[in-house]
Amino acid sequence: MTLFSAFRRDIERAPSVGWKRFTRWLRHQMPTGLYARSLLIIILPMVLLQAVVAFVFMERHWQLVTQRLSMAVTRDIAAIIDLIETYPQDDDYAEITRIARERLELIISVEQGTTLPPPRSKPFFNILDEILSEEIVRQIRRPFWIDTVGESKVVEIRILLDNKILRVYARRNQAYASNTHIFLLWMVGASLVLILISILFLRGQIRPILALAQAAESFGKGQKMPENFAPRGADEVRRAGLAFILMRERIERQIEQRTAMLTGVSHDLRTILTRFKLQLALAGDKPELQGMGKDVEDMQTMLEGYLSFARGDAEEDVGKLRLSDLIDRLSLEAELHERAFSSEIEGDDEIMVRPNAFTRLVGNVVSNALRYAKSVHVEARHRAKWLTITVDDDGPGIPENVREDVFKPFFRLDDARNLDASGTGLGLAIALDIARSHGGNVTLSDSPMGGLRVTIRVPV
C-alpha cells in the first residue's frame, strides 16, 4: 500500500470515526432512566418545533408586518411633505397639522433650521429602526434622523427639507408589530401546559414499570416482594407483571416441593444411619468395626452438608446484620486457630441481608482461609449500592485452571485446599449459592499476600 492510498484511507475514515466518537459521547450524556428518556422524547421535538416556528415567525411574519406598517407611516409622511411643498400654507402650517393629526394620527411640526441632531447609536437588535430607515430612504430620499431607541410608545422622525425641518411623532405600534410577543407567550405557555400534562401522564405510566422492576429486584435478592404490588398500567406492563407473578409462584412451589422432599429424605436417611450406629454400639468396641464406624460418621457429615447445601437457607427472612459483629465472630475463630487476623470496615456498619445465611457465607470463606493460611485479612466496603467483602490470605491458594470447578458440589482439592471441614467439597458451592440468592456473586483471584483472594459482592 502506497503512502497516498494510506492517507486517502485515513481521510475517508475520519468522518466515520468522528461520528462514532460523537455518538459515544452523546450516549454518555443521555440519561439512563426510562422516565427521563421518555420526557426527552416528548420535550425535544416540542422544543425543536417551537424553535423552527419562532424562527420562521420572527423571520417572516414579524418582519413582514413591521415592514408594511413602516411603509404606511413613511407614505403618510411623504404625503405631508408633498402638501407642504406643493400648496402655499400659513406660517404655522395649521391646516396640514390638523389633517395629519385627525386623518393620519401623526403629530407634526415644521421648524426653521438646516441642521439635524447627530445620529444616535444603533441598538444591537431593533427591527423597527432598520426597516423604518430603509423605507424613508426609499420613499422620501431626504436627510433624516429617527429615534426608535428605548421603551417609549412614540417614535420621533425628523426630515430635512429645503430650509426647514419637518418633525413627526408617530405611535410605535403604527410602524411596528408590537403585539408579537403575545403570540410567543401563548406558544410558550401552551407548551409548558402540555409538558406538565405529559409529565403527569408519564409518571402514571412509568410508575407500574418501576414497581415491577423493584419487585423483580427484591425477589432476585431473596427478599419479600412489596405487599401492595399488583399489575397496573398499560396492557403490556400488566402482562409483564402477571407473567412475573406466575413465575414467582412457580419458583416458590418448586422450593416448597424441594424442601418437603429433602425433609422426607433426611428423615429416612437419618433413621438408617441411626440404626447403623446402634448396631455398631451393640457389636461392641471391636478393632475391625472402627473403620465402619468412621464411615458412618463421614456419611452423617456428608448428609448434613448436602442437605444444608440443597436447602440453601432460602426460607430465612431478610433482616439487619452488623458487620462489626460478624468481624468479631471471625476474629474469635482466628484466635482459636491461632492465626493472625486483621480487618477493615468502610461505610455503614448495618446491612440488610439474611443474617444466618450471610454469616455462613462469610464464615465458610474465612474458615477455609484460617485452615490453610497463617495470616488472613478481611476488608468490607459498604457503598451506596453494593457490599464488597474481600478475604486475603497467605496460604497455598487455588490453581487458576480449577477456580471455576471448585464451585461445583462435591469437587475436592486433594493437595491444596478444601473449603469444608469434613471434606465433602460443598463449602464453596454453599457460599456461591447463598451469594447468588442475595443477587450477588463470589469470585476467586490471586491475593497480594501471596495466597488466595475471595471477593464476595452482593447488592444492598
Side-chain angles (χ1 to χ4, degrees), residues 439-455:
N441 197 12
V442 179
T443 56
L444 306 179
S445 60
D446 295 329
S447 172
M449 298 175 61
L452 181 70
R453 164 172 284 186
V454 182
T455 303

Side-chain angles (χ1 to χ4, degrees), residues 12 18 82 160 164 185 210 248 326 341 350 410 414:
E12 292 176 350
D82 290 341
L160 180 60
K164 46 187 171 294
L185 290 177
L210 297 178
R248 182 201 64 180
L326 177 60
F341 182 84
E350 286 190 353
F410 304 109
D414 295 332

Side-chain angles (χ1 to χ4, degrees), residues 76-126:
D76 294 340
I77 296 175
I80 293 174
I81 294 175
D82 290 341
L83 288 175
I84 293 174
E85 294 181 344
T86 303
Y87 299 100
Q89 302 292 331
D90 300 332
D91 294 338
D92 57 356
Y93 299 95
E95 193 63 24
I96 294 179
T97 303
R98 182 189 63 79
I99 295 174
R101 183 180 63 254
E102 296 179 358
R103 300 300 181 183
L104 304 178
E105 297 183 355
L106 298 175
I107 305 300
I108 68 170
S109 63
V110 180
E111 302 174 354
Q112 298 297 324
T114 59
T115 304
L116 293 174
R120 302 194 60 176
S121 58
K122 300 295 183 180
F124 177 74
F125 177 77
N126 193 335

Side-chain angles (χ1 to χ4, degrees), residues 30-59:
M30 293 290 289
T32 58
L34 178 61
Y35 184 56
R37 289 191 174 187
S38 300
L39 285 179
L40 284 180
I41 292 174
I42 294 177
I43 294 176
L44 284 182
M46 186 176 298
V47 171
L48 291 176
L49 177 61
Q50 286 193 355
V52 172
V53 171
F55 175 78
V56 173
F57 179 82
M58 297 282 289
E59 185 70 17

Side-chain angles (χ1 to χ4, degrees), residues 11-207:
I11 292 297
E12 292 176 350
R13 291 180 55 188
S16 61
V17 173
W19 175 254
K20 289 181 180 178
R21 291 180 179 176
F22 173 74
T23 55
R24 190 182 304 114
W25 174 84
L26 186 61
R27 284 198 302 269
H28 291 163
Q29 300 300 321
M30 293 290 289
T32 58
L34 178 61
Y35 184 56
R37 289 191 174 187
S38 300
L39 285 179
L40 284 180
I41 292 174
I42 294 177
I43 294 176
L44 284 182
M46 186 176 298
V47 171
L48 291 176
L49 177 61
Q50 286 193 355
V52 172
V53 171
F55 175 78
V56 173
F57 179 82
M58 297 282 289
E59 185 70 17
R60 301 296 181 186
H61 177 76
W62 192 10
Q63 184 175 1
L64 181 61
V65 172
T66 301
Q67 185 174 6
R68 290 181 177 177
L69 292 175
S70 298
M71 185 187 303
V73 171
T74 307
R75 189 183 297 117
D76 294 340
I77 296 175
I80 293 174
I81 294 175
D82 290 341
L83 288 175
I84 293 174
E85 294 181 344
T86 303
Y87 299 100
Q89 302 292 331
D90 300 332
D91 294 338
D92 57 356
Y93 299 95
E95 193 63 24
I96 294 179
T97 303
R98 182 189 63 79
I99 295 174
R101 183 180 63 254
E102 296 179 358
R103 300 300 181 183
L104 304 178
E105 297 183 355
L106 298 175
I107 305 300
I108 68 170
S109 63
V110 180
E111 302 174 354
Q112 298 297 324
T114 59
T115 304
L116 293 174
R120 302 194 60 176
S121 58
K122 300 295 183 180
F124 177 74
F125 177 77
N126 193 335
I127 190 174
L128 174 61
D129 188 284
E130 179 181 353
I131 294 178
L132 187 58
S133 299
E134 292 177 356
E135 290 297 325
I136 294 175
V137 171
R138 187 178 63 87
Q139 296 187 38
I140 300 178
R141 299 187 184 93
R142 292 174 182 270
F144 68 93
W145 177 89
I146 63 174
D147 181 12
T148 60
V149 182
E151 300 297 330
S152 175
K153 296 182 180 181
V154 177
V155 176
E156 182 181 357
I157 304 171
R158 300 185 187 185
I159 307 295
L160 180 60
L161 302 180
D162 295 335
N163 55 357
K164 46 187 171 294
I165 295 175
L166 173 63
R167 198 168 187 176
V168 181
Y169 293 93
R171 293 197 309 271
R172 181 180 290 266
N173 56 12
Q174 284 183 262
Y176 175 69
S178 59
N179 60 347
T180 306
H181 65 282
I182 298 178
F183 170 78
L184 297 177
L185 290 177
W186 271 101
M187 185 175 63
V188 174
S191 300
L192 293 177
V193 173
L194 292 177
I195 291 175
L196 179 61
I197 295 175
S198 301
I199 291 175
L200 297 177
F201 178 77
L202 278 178
R203 287 186 60 184
Q205 296 299 314
I206 297 298
R207 191 179 292 112

